[in-house]
Amino acid sequence: MTSLPVLPLSPAAVGRRPALPPRHLADLDLAGRQALVAELGEPAFRAKQLSTHYFGRLVRDPAQMTDLPAATRDRLAEALMPRLLTPVREMACDDGATRKALWRLHDGSLVESVLMGYPDRVTVCISSQAGCGMACPFCATGQAGLTRNLSTAEIVDQAVYLAGVAASGAVAGSPPRLSHVVFMGMGEPLANYSRVVDAVRRLCAPAPEGLGLSQRHVTVSTVGLVPAMRRLAGEGLSVTLALSLHAPDDELRDELVPVNQRWKVAEVLDAAWDYASRTGRRVSVEYAMIRDVNDQPWRADLLGRLLAGRLAHVNLIPLNPTPGSRWDASPKPVEREFVRRLREAGVSTTVRDTRGREIDGACGQLAASETSSADGR
Ligand code: SAH
């Protein structure tokens, strides 16, 4: 019998106080920005001008904000647009259609984001925390523990920055406009609840208040923090909820997703169906296919019974083995049989593509500690 992983304590619980980044306009709604600009002794309309540069034109260099008086430009940019993300390394693969960015935050924490171009859309996968406290044993980020929550603006800025990269035409064969955002980078979004919800609002507010994405094109992925899932269902947002299930039974899920020790499969699925019925949105059930661990035909059948007739879609993710891991991806024939059984049960199922594998940009590989050697640290 294997012993169950233990959830690590949060930094707050052990007395460390994570340093927050400086305030940025993306932390505030438009009214908040106008109030701040007024406090700085400038006319309120400057807030809109700055916001149009940042969200509308994806411009962050004050020198390019020529509609603002030169003396005001630097002052306002310094007060409302401090640099939050310093690119440490950018890597491309899949013929330039996938690009991973490693950022250093103001306190030295490292986080990553991934830009993925498809013929019909451009998606960014963003981080909501530096590290993660959820300790899923197959996930690289889970191994390192939680450093801190990201601020709203640190979350938003990943998408805005990469929207600028996409707009420059860097993703060949894709539209220039960022259309989709998934919270599937580092961290557990619902453990940083209010900042993540704020970030979603900012990403979806029309420019110049926000980036103007459609809520339906935003996906928030969770290990299954039940109270937060229920709260999210009441926010009046129509974002897609992805639930990282990975096992249909408590015995195995207790091990693969340790938070299951607190909220069991039945409870987490109940909260998912509540989300689906209150938002009308189909829940995306994520399931990493791990060889001889969770890929047995009987588990496919059990999963099929749990999901049949529900507003759900299964997204099977071929496991991306983390360095030193005892686990491997399921063989293709096993994966195909798993898909077949789910579909036979009437459950819509697809297998996720594995973008970014060569640059450690694929699911669960976003562990900045692995890349820090490339950074010379
Ligand atoms: N904490 C959130 C979001 C981040 S991870 C969550 O767990 O949902 C995004 C997805 O990648 C999750 O479904 C996660 O379980 C999956 N994942 C993590 N490590 C993986 C790996 N090594 N191979 C395949 N999928 C992985």
Side-chain angles (χ1 to χ4, degrees):
M1 178 84 202
T2 51
S3 61
L4 293 174
V6 177
L7 286 176
L9 290 171
S10 70
V14 289
R16 268 192 293 129
R17 248 224 174 156
L20 280 172
R23 181 185 45 201
H24 184 282
L25 66 82
D27 286 312
L28 307 166
D29 61 14
L30 194 54
R33 290 171 217 162
Q34 283 162 341
L36 184 60
V37 165
E39 260 173 51
L40 295 168
E42 291 289 336
F45 68 82
R46 298 266 181 248
K48 219 172 196 172
Q49 284 179 305
L50 272 184
S51 303
T52 300
H53 283 297
Y54 180 74
F55 281 116
R57 300 180 51 217
L58 310 172
V59 159
R60 54 184 65 227
D61 172 11
Q64 290 181 43
M65 303 179 186
T66 48
D67 56 337
L68 288 151
T72 325
R73 238 183 252 167
D74 289 335
R75 210 172 132 244
L76 282 183
E78 199 179 314
L80 275 94
M81 291 171 65
R83 181 198 275 247
L84 298 175
L85 309 176
T86 304
V88 174
R89 205 168 125 109
E90 286 182 41
M91 281 167 281
C93 73
D94 303 323
D95 286 331
T98 307
R99 313 172 79 90
K100 182 174 78 163
L102 170 67
W103 320 102
R104 181 176 297 112
L105 309 180
H106 82 109
D107 61 349
S109 304
L110 297 172
V111 297
E112 295 181 337
S113 327
V114 187
L115 176 65
M116 290 164 286
Y118 301 86
D120 60 334
R121 69 196 149 95
V122 175
T123 301
V124 293
C125 174
I126 58 176
S127 298
S128 56
Q129 299 181 310
C132 185
M134 297 297 123
C136 302
F138 57 90
C139 173
T141 311
Q143 307 316 298
L146 177 67
T147 303
R148 69 169 170 89
N149 284 328
L150 299 192
S151 71
T152 299
E154 284 174 322
I155 298 169
V156 171
D157 202 34
Q158 296 168 58
V160 174
Y161 197 114
L162 292 178
V165 172
S168 73
V171 196
S174 295
R177 196 174 151 72
L178 172 71
S179 52
H180 290 69
V181 168
V182 297
F183 283 81
M184 292 190 180
M186 300 170 85
E188 166 51 39
L190 297 189
N192 186 14
Y193 187 89
S194 56
R195 295 180 191 93
V196 164
V197 168
D198 252 16
V200 169
R201 293 196 195 285
R202 217 97 327 128
L203 291 172
C204 298
E209 173 139 18
L211 196 57
L213 299 181
S214 153
Q215 289 180 8
R216 291 165 174 265
H217 290 175
V218 173
T219 299
V220 174
S221 184
T222 180
V223 287
L225 305 184
V226 166
M229 289 166 73
R230 293 193 181 279
R231 197 173 154 199
L232 188 66
E235 294 285 350
L237 293 170
S238 45
V239 297
T240 299
L241 182 69
L243 171 63
S244 298
L245 196 64
H246 305 313
D249 54 303
D250 286 321
E251 194 185 351
L252 180 56
R253 195 166 191 269
D254 278 351
E255 187 186 349
L256 294 183
V257 186
V259 82
N260 195 71
Q261 294 163 41
R262 183 109 158 252
W263 293 291
K264 298 293 170 190
V265 170
E267 286 172 272
V268 106
L269 287 178
D270 248 13
W273 309 146
D274 180 47
Y275 187 88
S277 69
R278 288 171 76 184
T279 60
R281 305 287 297 149
R282 193 166 77 157
V283 173
S284 178
V285 174
E286 310 294 297
Y287 199 103
M289 292 291 287
I290 314 177
R291 178 184 210 141
D292 298 333
V293 173
N294 64 352
D295 60 358
Q296 304 81 357
W298 72 265
R299 283 202 160 95
D301 294 341
L302 177 54
L303 184 62
R305 285 197 296 280
L306 292 175
L307 305 189
R310 301 293 187 171
L311 203 51
H313 171 88
V314 174
N315 208 350
L316 296 178
I317 317 170
L319 181 82
N320 196 17
T322 55
S325 159
R326 59 199 151 111
W327 286 321
D328 205 352
S330 303
K332 284 291 156 192
V334 172
E335 183 185 281
R336 277 196 291 274
E337 177 62 8
F338 206 89
V339 172
R340 193 188 67 73
R341 283 174 183 257
L342 282 171
R343 289 189 180 150
E344 200 172 72
V347 178
S348 118
T349 305
T350 48
V351 178
R352 162 103 49 94
D353 71 355
T354 50
R355 282 296 185 87
R357 289 214 155 180
E358 309 142 49
I359 52 172
D360 286 346
C363 305
Q365 290 291 290
L366 299 182
S369 56
E370 286 174 50
T371 34
S372 57
S373 55
D375 175 30
R377 290 161 26 120

